[in-house]
Amino acid sequence: MKPKKFLLSFKYAGHGLKDVFKQEQNFRFHSVAAVFTIAAGFLFQLNAIEWLIIIAAIGNVMALELINTAVERTVDLISPENHPLAKKAKDAGAASVLIFSIAAAIAGAIIFIPKILSFM
């Protein structure tokens, strides 16, 4: 890969992040939740393993949200009219984000609840 092409890939990824952040409410919600979770991690002095779990959970939720947005936009491009299969594709993408978000919230609860209780 040529260095210029490689650097442009980061530029295009940045454009994608900026666009999704501006256009997608759920991505903004997950971004705010990530910031609060990271702040809580510093406050409660997470250990290395806890940080790995939190960062993996945040990264996966954000990545799934980006993939879901790509699926939704592609479906809208291919099938601008309402179609039952288009709806099913979009719903499945949304469900993937929901499932991983629930798993991430459970992991966060397992890590943070004992720390919050011992803080009280």
Side-chain angles (χ1 to χ4, degrees):
M1 179 183 277
K2 296 179 183 177
K4 184 176 181 178
K5 191 173 184 178
F6 179 70
L7 292 175
L8 280 174
S9 68
F10 286 96
K11 180 181 174 182
Y12 300 144
H15 288 170
L17 278 172
K18 182 179 174 183
D19 177 67
V20 171
F21 188 83
K22 282 179 156 180
Q23 300 293 322
E24 299 295 327
Q25 178 181 354
N26 287 343
F27 192 80
R28 288 191 302 274
F29 172 81
H30 290 301
S31 297
V32 170
V35 168
F36 279 108
T37 302
I38 291 167
F42 284 114
L43 177 68
F44 290 109
Q45 300 176 348
L46 299 184
N47 65 42
I49 299 298
E50 292 166 333
W51 272 117
L52 287 172
I53 292 166
I54 294 298
I55 297 304
I58 290 170
N60 282 306
V61 168
M62 303 296 278
L64 272 174
E65 191 64 60
L66 289 164
I67 292 168
N68 181 50
T69 298
V71 167
E72 288 180 351
R73 291 177 178 182
T74 302
V75 168
D76 289 345
L77 177 67
I78 294 168
S79 180
E81 69 284 344
N82 288 333
H83 189 282
L85 288 177
K87 180 184 180 334
K88 286 183 180 196
K90 291 168 82 170
D91 289 352
S96 71
V97 178
L98 176 64
I99 288 171
F100 203 94
S101 295
I102 292 169
I106 292 169
I110 290 168
I111 291 170
F112 284 109
I113 288 175
K115 293 178 182 307
I116 291 168
L117 292 176
S118 70
F119 184 72
M120 298 172 123

